Amino acid sequence: MEAALDLLRHTLTSPWVYLLLFGLTAIDAFFPLVPAEAAVITVTVLATGGEPNLVVVIVATMLGAVLGDHVSYAIGRGGGSRRLDRSPEDSRRRAGGQWARRAVCRHGGVILTSARYLPGGRTAVTLTMGAVRYPLRPFLLYDLIGAGTWALYCVLLGTFGGLAFEREPIYGILAGIGLSIAVTLLVQLVRGLRRRAHRRAARR
C-alpha cells in the first residue's frame, strides 16, 4: 500500500495532474459515473510540499466543471428543445417542459449552483436548462459561481482529511469522501422534508 501511495504522490508532482482533473470534472457533467469529486479530494489529501498547487487544482477543477456543464447544456439545447417543441400541446412532455421552463426562469441560479451537490443532479439540471433554452449569459455566470464553490468545497474536504489523518492518508481520503457523502445525504434529507412540508401545506 505504501508503495502505491508513494507512486501516486510522485504522479501528483507532474503538471499533468491538473489536466487530468480538468478532464475528469468536464466529463463528469454529462457522464456522471466519472468520480471527479473523489479524484479532487484524493489529490488534495496527498498534496505535500506545495505539490500539486491547490490554487491551480481549484482553478483546473472549476474550469473543467464549467466546460462540462456547457457541453451538457448544448446537448440539451440541441436535442431536448426540439423534442419539447414538437410535443403535442396537451401532452405531459409539453406540460413538463413548460413547468421546467418556469422553474429555471424563476430559480435557475439557485438550482444550477446547488444541483451539483446531488447525485446526477448536475447533469439533469444542465440538460434541462439547455432544453428549455435558459439564457446562456446568466447560465455562465451562475455556473462559474457554482463550479467555483464546488471546487473549493472539494479541496477543503481533502485538506481536512489530509490534516486529520496526516500519517494515514488512506483514512484521510475515506474521511473526505465520507464527508462529501454525508453532505449529499443531508441535502437530500432537507429537500425531502421541504417537499413534505409543501405537500402538507397544499392539503390544508
Side-chain angles (χ1 to χ4, degrees), residues 186-199:
L186 179 62
V187 172
Q188 291 278 43
L189 176 62
V190 171
R191 290 184 68 205
L193 292 175
R194 290 185 62 185
R195 286 179 180 175
R196 185 175 298 179
H198 286 313
R199 288 174 183 173

Side-chain angles (χ1 to χ4, degrees), residues 45-58:
V45 169
L46 298 178
T48 57
E51 292 293 339
N53 187 303
L54 295 185
V55 174
V56 182
V57 168
I58 292 173

Side-chain angles (χ1 to χ4, degrees), residues 1-2 5 8-9 37-47 153-181:
M1 183 63 70
E2 284 297 325
L5 288 174
L8 185 55
R9 286 194 183 97
E37 187 169 301
V40 177
I41 292 172
T42 300
V43 167
T44 308
V45 169
L46 298 178
Y153 158 79
C154 291
V155 169
L156 288 176
L157 288 180
T159 301
F160 169 80
L163 292 175
F165 301 93
E166 188 174 357
R167 296 183 180 180
E168 297 289 346
I170 292 297
Y171 293 147
I173 294 170
L174 294 176
I177 295 174
L179 281 174
S180 172
I181 295 173

